[in-house]
Amino acid sequence: MRARSGLLFAVIALIAGLWAGVVRLGWALPTLRTLPSAHGPLMVVGFVGALISLERAVALRSRWGYLAPALATAGAILEAFGISVGASIALAGSIVLGALYLSAMRQQLSWPIVIMGIGGGCWAIGNLLWALGKTLLSVVPWWGAFLVLTIAGERLEMARLRRPSPIARALFMGSFTMLMGGLALTLTHFDLGVRIFSAGMGALALWLLRYDVAWRTIRQKGLVRFIAISLLMGYFWLGVAGVLGMLWGGQTAGLFYDAMWHAIFVGFVFSMIFGHAPVIFPAVLKVRLPFTPSFYGPLALLHLSLAVRILGDSLAWIAGRQWGGLFNVLAILFFFANMARVALGAAILHRSRPR
C-alpha cells in the first residue's frame, strides 16, 4: 500500500510537471501562476527523485524509507503552489534517501552502492542549495549528477558480471572524478565547472557504450532487447549532453540551456525509465505486465521528438523546439498509458481463466 501510494503521488507530480513544461514551451494551457516555474522541481524531485527513493525503499524493505519519496513529492508539489517551505521538505526526503544508501552499504559495501550513495548526496546538496534560495541554475547540475550517478552505479553493478579489466575500472573512475570535480567547480566558476562536468558526462557515456552488458542482451528477444535498446539510446543522449555542455558551457537560460539539460533529463533519464519501468513497476505494484511490441512506439516517439527539439534549440527554430517538446510530453504520457492498458488487459485475462 505504501509503495502504491508513493507511486500514485509521483505520477501526479509527473503530470503537473509535464503540464508546466508544455506551458513553458509557449503552448496556451490554463495553469497556476507558480506552476511553470516549478517544472524542474516537479520532474526531477517530485517524480524521478521520488521514483528512485521508492525503488530503494522497496528493495531494502524499509518502512521508514518510504518517507523519502513522500517528502520529495510533497515538497515539489508545495513549490508548485508557491509555498517556499517545499524545498526544505524535499531536502528532508533526500536526507532519508541518503540514510537508505547508508543502510545498503552496511549490508553490502561495494563501489556501485558507493557511487549511487554519492549520487544521493548530490541530490541532497542540490536540494540544500534550493532550500537556501539559490537559483535553479546553480541547483540543476547537482540534480543532474544525482540521476547520472544513480544510473551509472546501477549499470556498474551489472557490468561486474562481465568482470571489467583494471583499465575499464580506471576509466570509469577517471570519468567519475572528472564529473565530480566539474560539479564542485560550478559553485565558484560556473562556466568552467559545467564544461568539465560535461566532459565527465561524455566520458561516462563512452564508458557505458563500451562496457555495458546491453550490447550482449540486445541480441535476445522481447523485454530484454527492449531494455537494451532503451539503455543504449540513453547513453547516446548522455554523450550528446556532454558534447553540448563542453561547447556551450554554463548557459544561464535560453535555447542552448534547454538543449543540454533536456538531452540529460529527457533523452538519458527517460530512456532509463522506459527501459526499467516494465520491471520495476510490476515489482512495486504487484501486478503482471507482459511485454508487447507496443512498448517501442513511445520509445521511438521520445527520441525522434527530442531530436527535433534539440535541432530547434540549436538552430533557433522555435517551432521545432515547441513541437518537439510537445511530442516529448505525449511520448511519456503514451508510454505510461500503454503500460496501464497492458497491465489491465493481463489482469482481466488472468481473472477470466478457469481455476
Side-chain angles (χ1 to χ4, degrees), residues 61-245:
R61 299 179 181 178
S62 169
R63 291 184 179 181
W64 55 265
Y66 288 101
L67 282 171
L71 291 169
T73 302
I77 291 175
L78 286 173
E79 284 286 333
F81 282 95
I83 302 173
S84 59
V85 73
S88 298
I89 293 174
L91 172 60
S94 58
I95 291 172
V96 175
L97 176 62
L100 282 171
Y101 279 122
L102 288 175
S103 178
M105 289 177 199
R106 282 197 294 269
Q107 295 179 21
Q108 180 185 5
L109 185 61
S110 65
W111 267 115
I113 295 295
V114 170
I115 295 294
M116 286 186 275
I118 293 172
C122 290
W123 190 34
I125 293 172
N127 287 344
L128 175 61
L129 294 172
W130 184 32
L132 291 174
K134 302 295 183 182
T135 64
L136 287 182
L137 173 68
S138 61
V139 172
V140 166
W142 294 90
W143 286 350
F146 160 53
L147 301 179
V148 170
L149 293 180
T150 298
I151 295 166
E154 291 176 348
R155 301 315 301 171
L156 179 63
E157 193 166 32
M158 294 299 297
R160 292 170 65 189
L161 299 175
R162 297 181 64 181
R163 297 181 180 179
S165 66
I167 292 177
R169 291 194 293 269
L171 289 173
F172 181 92
M173 292 308 299
S175 303
F176 165 75
T177 301
M178 190 185 307
L179 185 147
M180 290 302 298
L183 182 63
L185 197 58
T186 62
L187 295 173
T188 57
H189 299 80
F190 187 74
D191 182 76
L192 179 60
V194 168
R195 291 180 191 274
I196 297 174
F197 173 77
S198 299
M201 284 195 301
L204 194 56
L206 290 174
W207 191 94
L208 290 166
L209 283 168
R210 169 64 178 82
Y211 293 105
D212 195 273
V213 296
W215 286 116
R216 286 187 176 182
T217 56
I218 199 172
R219 301 170 188 168
Q220 300 184 32
K221 297 180 180 180
L223 179 60
V224 177
R225 174 178 285 180
F226 173 77
I227 293 172
I229 291 173
S230 299
L231 295 175
L232 293 172
M233 290 301 298
Y235 303 154
F236 166 77
W237 285 115
L238 181 63
V240 169
V243 171
L244 295 180

Side-chain angles (χ1 to χ4, degrees), residues 6-63:
L7 186 57
L8 173 62
F9 285 108
V11 170
I12 291 172
L14 169 67
I15 293 171
L18 293 174
W19 191 288
V22 171
V23 173
R24 288 175 66 90
L25 284 166
W27 296 100
L29 292 179
T31 183
L32 294 170
R33 182 176 60 85
T34 54
L35 182 62
S37 63
H39 167 64
L42 284 166
M43 296 298 294
V44 179
V45 178
F47 176 63
V48 185
L51 204 62
I52 291 170
S53 302
L54 183 62
E55 188 272 333
R56 287 287 95 190
V58 171
L60 293 171
R61 299 179 181 178
S62 169
R63 291 184 179 181

